[in-house]
Amino acid sequence: MLLKKAPMKDPLNESNLYVSGSMKDVKISDADFEFLSRYLAMKYGLRITKQKKILLESRLIKRLNVLNIKSVSEYLKFVFKSSKGKEEYAYFVDQITTHKTFFFRENYQFDFLKKQIEFYFHKVQKQRTVTVWSAGCSTGEEVYSLAIVLNELRALYPYLDFRILGTDISIPSLKKAATGTFNSIELENLPENLIKKYFKPVSSIKNNLFRFSNNEIINKIQLGSLNLNSNSYHVPYEYDFIFCRNVIIYFDDATRTAVLRRLLNNLKHNGFLMLGHSESAIGTNLAIESVQPTIYKKK
Ligand SMILES: C[S@@+](CC[C@H](N)C(=O)[O-])C[C@H]1O[C@@H](n2cnc3c(N)ncnc32)[C@H](O)[C@@H]1O
């Protein structure tokens, strides 16, 4: 399927949980919490512990406000039992997941990718399409960081071509990624020369928005929804590199191992898997070797 950061209220401040005027009860009852945590574990592999209850409440209040619904329990009925729930479901998923991301996050992994590609093309002078998958791409910063790195390398290695896939379960995030539009704060990790080279202001009015504007590169990027907790992944290629960063941290242990196994099924022999800074595949008995912290090679 082709297709932000709302300021987080202090989750510990209970007064956030009620909206004056139309008092909303966003407290999640034990029964609703039980339902939510079971549902999210089963469907997406997400581990929602009791400690996350207040965080969940502070997130769902946004949808209660938009829809003018008075309680979480009413909201859940709307999402799961009403005829209009299907449309709301995408926003529900978006609210219960964390989307924090930024350009060139954990930059040493992009350097690692660069070095591998340079190493290859120094030895081999043949046309090759490098394939990269950003699994859990959120709003696209990882995808466009990869696109920039690979396109910069193309100038040096004319035999290099590339394809990038970005997938996520959050449709609003994917829609934002598909616009390729970022504000100046979201772009702050990018050097000025790269912003100038790859982005154009969205309008002449100073609205602070910039759109990724290289159509040739955009055609090499595909975005789509994919639940990593599903039994099989239908992706267009076998990948040279899979970036699945800051995603498995939200899964329970069994899901984490199962997801890594399925990702590896879609990684080429000798391909590389990149995880987030606090994630690890050590102890999973998978056919991988650790080349440096958070970077694994498929054996
Ligand atoms: C914190 S963001 C990480 C974004 C990016 N990879 C990075 O490291 O900057 C985590 C993303 O994983 C997605 N996610 C969570 N569970 C998922 C699942 N079961 N399948 C696919 N994506 C999932 C969320 O929607 C969210 O956009």
Side-chain angles (χ1 to χ4, degrees):
M1 179 206 313
L2 271 186
L3 301 179
K4 223 356 295 248
K5 273 179 242 166
M8 178 67 89
K9 288 172 184 153
D10 175 1
L12 298 175
N13 180 354
E14 302 230 330
S15 62
N16 286 331
L17 305 179
Y18 296 91
V19 177
S20 57
S22 59
M23 285 289 276
K24 289 189 172 56
D25 180 7
V26 298
K27 289 270 177 215
I28 303 178
S29 70
D30 288 348
D32 284 341
F33 184 76
E34 178 72 14
F35 163 76
L36 271 176
S37 55
R38 270 172 192 262
Y39 176 81
L40 296 173
M42 186 203 62
K43 178 89 180 172
Y44 300 112
L46 297 169
R47 190 170 45 99
I48 310 282
T49 56
K50 272 250 152 65
Q51 287 88 324
K52 293 208 182 133
K53 189 165 173 273
I54 296 175
L55 178 66
L56 212 57
E57 288 167 345
S58 73
R59 287 178 173 186
L60 291 180
I61 193 173
K62 292 175 196 148
R63 295 309 301 164
L64 264 64
N65 284 338
V66 170
L67 300 163
N68 202 18
I69 288 179
K70 286 200 176 58
S71 69
V72 171
S73 132
E74 210 183 300
Y75 177 70
L76 293 178
K77 273 192 202 117
F78 177 65
V79 174
F80 288 95
K81 299 214 168 115
S82 77
S83 55
K84 287 199 178 138
K86 222 173 157 198
E87 282 164 42
E88 177 58 22
Y89 187 79
Y91 296 102
F92 163 73
V93 173
D94 189 54
Q95 285 305 326
I96 47 97
T97 42
T98 300
H99 304 291
K100 182 182 155 85
T101 184
F102 48 90
F103 277 90
F104 291 104
R105 186 176 198 176
E106 286 148 65
N107 195 22
Y108 67 93
Q109 296 184 333
F110 294 93
D111 284 342
F112 180 90
L113 171 138
K114 239 193 263 180
K115 285 209 181 85
Q116 294 303 316
I117 293 175
E118 283 170 349
F119 183 69
Y120 176 84
F121 283 105
H122 273 141
K123 282 195 310 187
V124 185
Q125 253 107 73
K126 268 200 317 211
Q127 186 69 31
R128 171 152 180 200
T129 301
V130 171
T131 49
V132 189
W133 177 11
S134 164
C137 66
S138 186
T139 41
E141 283 82 339
E142 193 167 271
V143 165
Y144 292 100
S145 300
L146 287 164
I148 290 170
V149 169
L150 290 162
N151 193 58
E152 291 293 302
L153 282 170
R154 262 189 114 195
L156 303 172
Y157 304 102
Y159 291 116
L160 165 65
D161 196 1
F162 62 89
R163 296 290 180 275
I164 300 170
L165 173 68
T167 60
D168 205 285
I169 46 168
S170 163
I171 303 296
S173 294
L174 286 166
K175 281 186 174 166
K176 176 165 175 0
T179 67
T181 304
F182 302 93
N183 64 35
S184 51
I185 295 169
E186 290 162 338
L187 290 174
E188 73 188 357
N189 249 12
L190 268 187
E192 200 56 42
N193 65 317
L194 292 181
I195 298 179
K196 281 213 174 93
K197 184 166 173 184
Y198 290 99
F199 292 84
K200 284 208 174 90
V202 166
S203 82
S204 52
I205 308 158
K206 266 202 158 188
N207 64 1
N208 228 4
L209 286 178
F210 301 83
R211 183 174 295 133
F212 191 87
S213 57
N214 182 319
N215 282 333
E216 197 196 336
I217 302 179
I218 289 170
N219 288 334
K220 298 178 192 299
I221 298 174
Q222 224 184 328
L223 296 167
S225 80
L226 187 150
N227 178 4
L228 292 169
N229 196 37
S230 53
N231 285 335
S232 54
Y233 304 157
H234 300 286
V235 288
Y237 300 101
E238 258 202 314
Y239 288 87
D240 293 298
F241 299 88
I242 297 180
F243 283 58
C244 183
R245 311 185 309 160
N246 309 298
V247 181
I248 62 168
I249 194 175
Y250 300 106
F251 297 159
D252 56 59
D253 288 346
T255 308
R256 209 173 287 159
T257 307
V259 165
L260 290 176
R261 181 169 290 113
R262 287 191 291 265
L263 287 173
L264 289 175
N265 287 342
N266 293 282
L267 186 65
K268 285 184 191 163
H269 178 66
N270 285 336
F272 293 95
L273 169 70
M274 320 294 205
L275 298 181
H277 64 285
S278 54
E279 297 164 335
S280 167
I282 289 168
T284 49
N285 281 335
L286 297 168
I288 45 176
E289 62 178 289
S290 167
V291 282
Q292 66 184 70
T294 73
I295 303 181
Y296 301 87
K297 186 175 186 174
K298 181 170 167 178
K299 289 201 249 180

